[in-house]
Amino acid sequence: MKHEETKLACLALNFRILHSSFFVLHSALLFLLAAQISFAEVSKNAGDELSLNGEWETGIERNYTNRTPVPGLAQNPGEMSPGTLWYRRTVQLPEGNWTTATLRLKGARFAPAVYVNGEKISESEGGMAPIEFPLRSRQVAPGKTIQLEIALKSLRDLAPLDASAVPVADRWRSDISSSLWDDVTLHFSGDARISRVIPKPDFSRDRVSVSWEISGDEKISAPRTMQIFVLDLSGKILASSELASAKENQGATELNLNHACKPWSPDAPNLYKLKVVLSENGRTQDSREISFGLRDFHAEGLRFSLNHEPIQLRGGSVVWHRWLRDPEAKTLAFDPVWFEKNIVLRLKGYGANFLRFHLGLPPESFLDLCDRDGLCVQMEWPFFHGVKASSDSMKKRPLH
């Protein structure tokens, strides 16, 4: 039984390692040329993002009566919403040559539906994990002003088999209200966009295999390519892949790191940037940039190994969605500065190298803090005394 528990803990910890860990040099000449790229060639809005965090109008059943910070609590966390909770704000779209704007909801419970200028664009189940909504509307175009609305179901109206439902056994002490509890952004791209990036470092071979998926452009009319870069935190290119065909909507690209990256560990949390660029006919359609740490974590018997060295995990647990019931959580729970000072760095000061987020995902910025400050993370889905979620619902809620 202990061996099985260890294997499960290892799998849970690897979810976070895949979240932030992430090519083959075509030739020395290609690398030198790539090193001179400033990314000025990237189309003006390809890969750009616009934060929609801040104050939104909110109200029950589209009756807007309050103003609420996003991310944040819009209701009493100890009570289910009395009806559908609506959010509304006016958005000035930027000028540029982008053709697609994709709304990213990193945390939106429950089962969000999206409207533009009163017209329903899309809806989805879930809300515990990030969800993306391409805003397919003629009213969404460079330079235009739109009214954006997001409707969130009450937990009481959520489908019983939705994987994002709060476990029944924990509803007496967890946040059961509806809210936009993590960042909201708009991502701009061409007709095709990069919808998923999963890096798989091969520590022993000093390589990274990056799996990617493309969405949006169903009719491929021109040659598409994918290229991947590793940069330091100042933006200097350290390694790049060769141009790879992106004819299919999913694939994997390998990159030789050439010993340009130092390993990540709690004592030396070396971080880099991984930039993935999708082009069509030589013109950039989209780009995505994520943090990257070179590390290898796995179980060896009943012990854990990090970068082929034994590691003993020492740390604590944060049950973030329970914490939201605390009267002070309305401001503190969404403040990464406070969380870093009072949780992450305090744990590090006591000699910790590990933090467990129990019964639900935390805000993504908190995971980034752990990467930066040197804490391994165990991130859990809200399973408690069993889960009623359907397998289909679980498959639709992957960890990006």
Side-chain angles (χ1 to χ4, degrees), residues 104-359:
R104 289 179 175 176
L105 304 180
K106 294 185 179 180
R109 298 197 305 180
F110 300 90
V114 177
Y115 295 73
V116 172
N117 294 346
E119 176 190 358
K120 187 175 183 179
I121 301 299
S122 187
E123 63 183 343
S124 174
E125 61 184 64
M128 174 58 74
I131 306 174
E132 292 191 346
F133 297 92
L135 302 183
R136 303 193 184 284
S137 168
R138 293 181 179 180
Q139 302 172 79
V140 177
K144 286 196 173 184
T145 299
I146 61 171
Q147 186 181 82
L148 183 63
E149 292 177 291
I150 301 170
L152 303 176
K153 285 186 178 181
S154 169
L155 176 57
R156 71 182 185 185
D157 300 323
L158 192 65
L161 298 183
D162 193 313
S164 289
V166 179
V168 174
D170 206 51
R171 292 182 181 180
W172 65 278
R173 55 182 170 180
S174 278
D175 173 27
I176 56 175
S177 67
S178 301
S179 68
L180 294 175
W181 59 270
D182 204 351
D183 297 335
V184 177
T185 64
L186 277 178
H187 180 87
F188 302 100
S189 67
D191 293 338
R193 75 183 195 279
I194 303 166
S195 56
R196 199 174 191 198
V197 176
I198 301 180
K200 299 178 182 178
D202 186 336
F203 189 82
S204 61
R205 297 169 60 218
D206 194 38
R207 297 169 74 89
V208 179
S209 176
V210 182
S211 298
W212 43 261
E213 292 183 11
I214 301 171
S215 300
D217 191 2
E218 297 179 358
K219 296 180 180 180
I220 304 173
S221 57
R224 295 191 316 198
T225 59
M226 191 76 76
Q227 189 168 21
I228 305 175
F229 303 84
V230 170
L231 307 88
D232 65 17
L233 298 185
S234 71
K236 178 183 176 182
I237 297 175
L238 302 178
S240 65
S241 73
E242 63 182 50
L243 283 171
S245 172
K247 182 179 180 180
E248 304 298 329
N249 285 331
Q250 59 183 19
T253 303
E254 284 202 342
L255 172 72
N256 188 339
L257 295 175
N258 246 20
H259 303 289
C261 299
K262 297 179 181 178
W264 183 98
S265 71
D267 294 329
N270 298 299
L271 285 179
Y272 303 90
K273 298 176 183 178
L274 182 79
K275 190 179 186 81
V276 184
V277 180
L278 171 66
S279 300
E280 184 175 293
N281 250 354
R283 180 176 178 177
T284 299
Q285 289 288 304
D286 194 13
S287 66
R288 296 240 175 165
E289 190 173 287
I290 56 179
S291 62
F292 160 58
L294 180 61
R295 52 192 161 189
D296 175 78
F297 183 91
H298 60 274
E300 293 182 352
L302 298 179
R303 300 181 64 87
F304 293 124
S305 172
L306 176 65
N307 302 341
H308 303 296
E309 297 289 339
I311 181 172
Q312 184 175 24
L313 299 178
R314 308 177 301 274
S317 293
V318 169
V319 195
W320 191 80
H321 293 274
R322 286 181 186 166
W323 179 30
L324 294 182
R325 289 272 190 123
D326 189 283
E328 295 182 341
K330 191 167 185 176
T331 54
L332 298 183
F334 301 91
D335 184 353
V337 175
W338 185 93
F339 192 85
E340 180 176 36
K341 177 182 177 181
N342 293 281
I343 304 297
V344 176
L345 295 182
R346 184 169 292 183
L347 279 172
K348 289 285 289 187
Y350 291 142
N353 59 10
F354 169 80
L355 180 58
R356 174 196 186 200
F357 288 102
H358 182 43
L359 282 178

